[in-house]
Amino acid sequence: MNGKYIDRDEALFELRTGLFPQDVEYTEAIGIAESIIKSAPGVDAVEVVRCKDCVRYGDVSNVCKGRPTEPNLHRKPNDFCSYGVRREENG
């Protein structure tokens, strides 16, 4: 994932606190909005790989094949762990 997560509430607050005078043109407003969003503080987050999308997950058996600390652990499709490795999309 190449995007950066931002604090949406902070960005919306900045947009709503009077930065747009009544006579501002639409294109100018878009430029101001883009600048606010680009400068919004980022959040500390990591992408999660769900078991159903992991290379170690067995679709039929629901068994995690290769999780180092707990081999053959039964998992649900929407579970995740810190050892998740996203499988490549074929197609």
Side-chain angles (χ1 to χ4, degrees):
M1 178 170 291
N2 295 329
K4 179 178 178 183
Y5 295 100
I6 63 168
D7 185 333
R8 182 175 49 187
D9 292 335
E10 178 70 24
L12 290 172
F13 174 78
E14 291 293 331
L15 287 171
R16 293 176 180 150
T17 54
L19 293 174
F20 297 106
Q22 293 294 338
D23 61 345
V24 72
E25 294 287 327
Y26 177 76
T27 52
E28 186 181 352
I30 293 298
I32 294 170
E34 285 178 352
S35 136
I36 288 170
I37 291 170
K38 287 178 182 177
S39 66
V43 295
D44 186 16
V46 289
E47 183 179 6
V48 171
V49 177
R50 303 266 177 213
C51 289
K52 65 184 177 183
D53 301 321
C54 182
V55 296
R56 297 184 178 105
Y57 181 70
D59 291 332
V60 176
S61 63
N62 291 351
V63 172
C64 180
K65 300 171 184 168
R67 184 173 174 192
T69 57
E70 301 176 52
N72 299 323
L73 181 67
H74 288 275
R75 308 294 292 181
K76 295 178 183 169
N78 282 322
D79 287 347
F80 61 91
C81 73
S82 60
Y83 298 103
V85 177
R86 188 172 304 281
R87 69 179 73 153
E88 296 292 321
E89 294 291 329
N90 294 331

